[in-house]
Amino acid sequence: LTEIGFDEREAAMAMAMIAAKMLHPSSELETERWLQNNTELPRLFGLKPESVTRYLLYKTAIRLYEGKDIIEDTLYKLCSGLFSNRDNIIIYDLTNMYFEGRMHGSEKADFGRSKEKRSDCRLIGLSLAIDSIGFFRYSELYPGNISEPSTLKDVLGKIKDKLPVKKEKPVVTMDAGIATDENLSMLKQEGYDYVCVSRSKPKGYLKISPKTLFIEDNTGSKIEIEKVSVEGCEDTFLRVKSEKKSMKESSIDEKLTRRFEQRLVYLKQGLSQPRRLKKITAVHEYVGRLKDQYSKVAKYYQINYVEDHENDLIKDITWKRKKEKENGKGEYFLRYSKKKLTENEIWDVYNL
């Protein structure tokens, strides 16, 4: 902290604030109340509880953010000697935080797709690059409407010079939202290997593992994994089938199916009742909205109409679920570029 201009008292205030955020995560106003009335934490750092005010906490937070890059780099270097091979893997992800205030004074807070479904609030994006044991390597704040894939090249460029000099670059691990074809091509050009969730399920693949491997995840759920190759793609894929994920998807599917069919039944019953939808155009528009609202299950349905064009009416509606076209539940694919990795190694890299 002295490297970014903190004196002894300011450093004590910063450490008390950081400790409070870890023990009692809250706003600066609530942190002020908690430090003054509910803990002796300030005294551990040589501060009087009544001297800790929210105004000093605001000021301290701003100064810490201004020195963020120096703090992150210094802390990482201090810890780097404690563990070996921690730079073999870079795990990258991006999330966002919402603010219930108007945030008119913020240059980055903006409306976007909220991870917490708060589309009514302004957001700020937070990207994190961590190493193989979970230590932050680099972080960055982005506007709330930032596109996730566009941040990867920026972050890699900023940490590139901070990586230790060695022959082999680290493996980059990321989720499907960031693993666009453009980003994967960029990683290859920069000399990085990667492990990611495939953005789509391969339409056809060939099993290349001698046998299917059965393992358990950290919750004890059974996992089935095997290497497969996809025609026309240089990368290799790991087919993963999760018992727990299958149960979850089945539960969601049943709920959406029930709601979708209830709406269709309501529409069908209304065809013979007064003041309900019957016109051909109105019925098709209604079904179109239903298909959009329940898109995850609606794509499996064949819906047929009996139309009376002379009177511009729908006389009857029938539907049938096309089970033969459904994909396997609980199944997804990991895509990786490093050919020498075994099934267990790929799984371990992705689940660090």
Side-chain angles (χ1 to χ4, degrees):
L1 293 176
T2 56
E3 290 185 30
I4 58 173
F6 279 65
D7 61 27
E8 185 176 346
R9 179 177 173 75
E10 291 169 337
M13 183 69 69
M15 289 187 287
M17 185 185 74
I18 293 169
K21 293 291 186 180
M22 296 174 67
L23 296 170
H24 185 69
S26 56
S27 66
E28 274 67 20
L29 178 61
E30 170 60 18
T31 300
E32 174 194 64
R33 186 203 65 77
W34 187 75
L35 287 172
Q36 289 184 358
N37 302 320
N38 291 79
T39 178
E40 290 295 313
L41 185 63
R43 298 189 189 277
L44 294 178
F45 299 101
L47 300 170
K48 294 181 179 180
E50 60 272 15
S51 70
V52 181
T53 67
R54 58 185 179 277
Y55 305 108
L56 288 176
L57 294 175
Y58 287 133
K59 182 179 178 181
T60 301
I62 292 171
R63 292 189 63 190
L64 285 173
Y65 178 70
E66 290 172 346
K68 176 185 73 69
D69 292 346
I70 296 175
I71 294 171
E72 286 179 344
D73 199 41
T74 302
L75 288 176
Y76 196 81
K77 287 178 180 177
L78 286 173
C79 298
S80 60
L82 299 177
F83 305 93
S84 61
N85 298 323
R86 60 188 299 173
D87 285 306
N88 290 347
I89 298 170
I90 294 176
I91 303 169
Y92 180 74
D93 203 359
L94 187 134
T95 187
N96 53 44
M97 304 167 286
Y98 69 87
F99 296 88
E100 294 186 335
R102 295 183 179 181
M103 298 299 290
H104 287 167
S106 173
E107 295 179 356
K108 293 187 176 180
D110 206 341
F111 292 104
R113 184 177 180 182
S114 171
K115 304 272 186 176
E116 298 173 270
K117 311 299 183 185
R118 290 301 301 267
S119 57
D120 59 318
C121 299
R122 293 180 186 268
L123 312 171
I124 284 183
L126 170 65
S127 67
L128 292 176
I130 64 176
D131 64 18
S132 59
I133 56 176
F135 279 81
F136 288 156
R137 193 68 185 86
Y138 185 78
S139 66
E140 187 63 71
L141 293 177
Y142 289 99
N145 60 354
I146 192 73
S147 169
E148 286 191 6
S150 66
T151 62
L152 179 62
K153 187 174 183 178
D154 178 50
V155 169
L156 280 181
K158 290 177 179 177
I159 66 174
K160 185 177 181 180
D161 296 333
K162 300 179 182 181
L163 296 173
V165 179
K166 54 183 181 179
K167 294 181 180 179
E168 194 171 6
K169 288 188 176 182
V171 176
V172 178
T173 306
M174 55 199 157
D175 279 334
I178 302 169
T180 62
D181 289 337
E182 183 180 354
N183 276 341
L184 298 184
S185 297
M186 180 270 295
L187 288 172
K188 287 182 178 179
Q189 291 173 4
E190 295 290 334
Y192 292 97
D193 282 304
Y194 52 80
V195 175
C196 62
V197 177
S198 176
R199 291 170 70 90
S200 60
K201 292 184 179 181
K203 294 182 179 180
Y205 55 85
L206 180 65
K207 178 180 176 180
I208 58 177
S209 292
K211 60 180 181 179
T212 301
L213 191 63
F214 295 92
I215 59 174
E216 292 185 354
D217 63 13
N218 52 12
T219 65
S221 177
K222 293 180 181 178
I223 303 288
E224 176 184 320
I225 58 177
E226 61 182 7
K227 281 186 179 181
V228 299
S229 63
V230 177
E231 185 178 355
C233 184
E234 295 180 359
D235 295 339
T236 308
F237 291 73
L238 188 72
R239 186 186 72 86
V240 182
K241 188 166 185 178
S242 166
E243 183 182 72
K244 187 175 182 180
K245 184 177 175 67
S246 177
M247 293 174 62
K248 180 181 178 180
E249 289 182 356
S250 294
S251 175
I252 294 173
D253 181 272
E254 289 173 5
K255 182 172 67 174
L256 292 177
T257 296
R258 183 170 62 253
R259 291 178 179 176
F260 181 65
E261 292 191 354
Q262 284 174 348
R263 300 287 291 274
L264 288 176
V265 169
Y266 176 80
L267 179 63
K268 181 182 176 73
Q269 291 173 343
L271 297 176
S272 58
Q273 298 178 12
R275 294 183 294 278
R276 295 278 293 275
L277 291 180
K278 301 180 185 65
K279 295 291 185 179
I280 293 176
T281 301
V283 170
H284 280 291
E285 288 178 349
Y286 180 83
V287 173
R289 290 193 294 270
L290 282 185
K291 287 182 176 180
D292 183 59
Q293 184 177 357
Y294 299 98
S295 58
K296 288 186 177 180
V297 295
K299 60 186 177 182
Y300 300 130
Y301 279 80
Q302 175 66 48
I303 301 176
N304 299 307
Y305 308 88
V306 177
E307 300 178 350
D308 179 358
H309 290 282
E310 183 176 345
N311 296 305
D312 191 29
L313 297 174
I314 298 287
K315 306 298 290 184
D316 193 17
I317 303 175
T318 58
W319 57 88
K320 182 179 180 182
R321 181 156 177 153
K322 303 174 288 187
K323 291 186 178 294
E324 69 278 1
K325 292 189 177 182
E326 298 182 33
N327 295 319
K329 290 184 175 62
E331 183 181 78
Y332 60 97
F333 291 79
L334 298 182
R335 180 175 178 175
Y336 62 98
S337 59
K338 198 169 185 178
K339 304 295 184 183
K340 295 181 181 179
L341 292 177
T342 65
E343 289 93 329
N344 273 325
E345 287 173 335
I346 300 163
W347 179 252
D348 289 342
V349 167
Y350 183 73
N351 284 275
L352 283 171

